[in-house]
Amino acid sequence: MLAHTLTVLSTSGQPTDVTFYRRKPLLDVKVSTKIGAALLYGLENYLPRLLNRIEFSNGAVASLREIWTINPMPKGGFSAEELAGVDLSQGEERHGPRGETLRKMIRKTYHCKSRKETDYFLRRWIAS
């Protein structure tokens, strides 16, 4: 599923947040067009190599094995008003496989250090 999502984002140019198991997330990055181009031109043989070294628009590189979540974001981002208008009560709903709240899952996947940081990423996720 991650590989498919990366392929769609590679061809669409839509920005995304990418979270990792052991490092800080990448925010509002675009996935290299190389992944989509490989499929478009029938070069599926190159996909394993490309997915082992995925390039992002901010210069970061990651392997598919490092990625925890991919959270597509809207082109153009969010206004301060849009984020302020998000109903954070949705964050208390249980969505996780072990009954975790959305808030807890966001805090873990984005490696948040404070409630303020968690609220910010929760707002972005809900708004997206």
Side-chain angles (χ1 to χ4, degrees):
M1 189 62 182
L2 287 175
H4 172 73
T5 303
L6 286 166
T7 302
V8 169
L9 293 170
S10 171
T11 57
S12 71
Q14 181 176 357
T16 190
D17 287 357
V18 182
T19 69
F20 301 92
Y21 292 104
R22 293 184 177 88
R23 69 184 203 191
K24 290 278 190 185
L26 302 177
L27 306 177
D28 285 320
V29 293
K30 293 180 183 174
V31 179
S32 170
T33 57
K34 291 178 183 178
I35 295 170
L39 289 176
L40 181 67
Y41 293 110
L43 303 171
E44 290 88 1
N45 303 4
Y46 291 99
L47 275 181
R49 186 174 357 162
L50 292 171
L51 293 174
N52 196 40
R53 193 177 190 307
I54 303 161
E55 298 173 5
F56 297 96
S57 59
N58 67 348
V61 175
S63 165
L64 183 65
R65 291 183 306 273
E66 297 175 75
I67 296 174
W68 195 349
T69 65
I70 300 172
N71 305 315
M73 295 290 151
K75 289 183 180 182
F78 301 104
S79 70
E81 294 80 25
E82 287 174 312
L83 289 178
V86 169
D87 178 9
L88 287 180
S89 68
Q90 293 179 44
E92 305 315 317
E93 295 173 6
R94 298 195 178 277
H95 291 280
R98 294 182 190 94
E100 301 92 342
T101 64
L102 181 56
R103 173 179 293 283
K104 183 175 182 176
M105 291 189 301
I106 292 295
R107 185 176 63 243
K108 284 186 162 210
T109 58
Y110 279 85
H111 303 284
C112 299
K113 303 287 186 214
S114 68
R115 174 117 182 156
K116 183 179 178 181
E117 193 177 21
T118 302
D119 284 353
Y120 172 73
F121 288 117
L122 183 57
R123 285 179 193 281
R124 283 172 55 86
W125 193 89
I126 292 170
S128 70

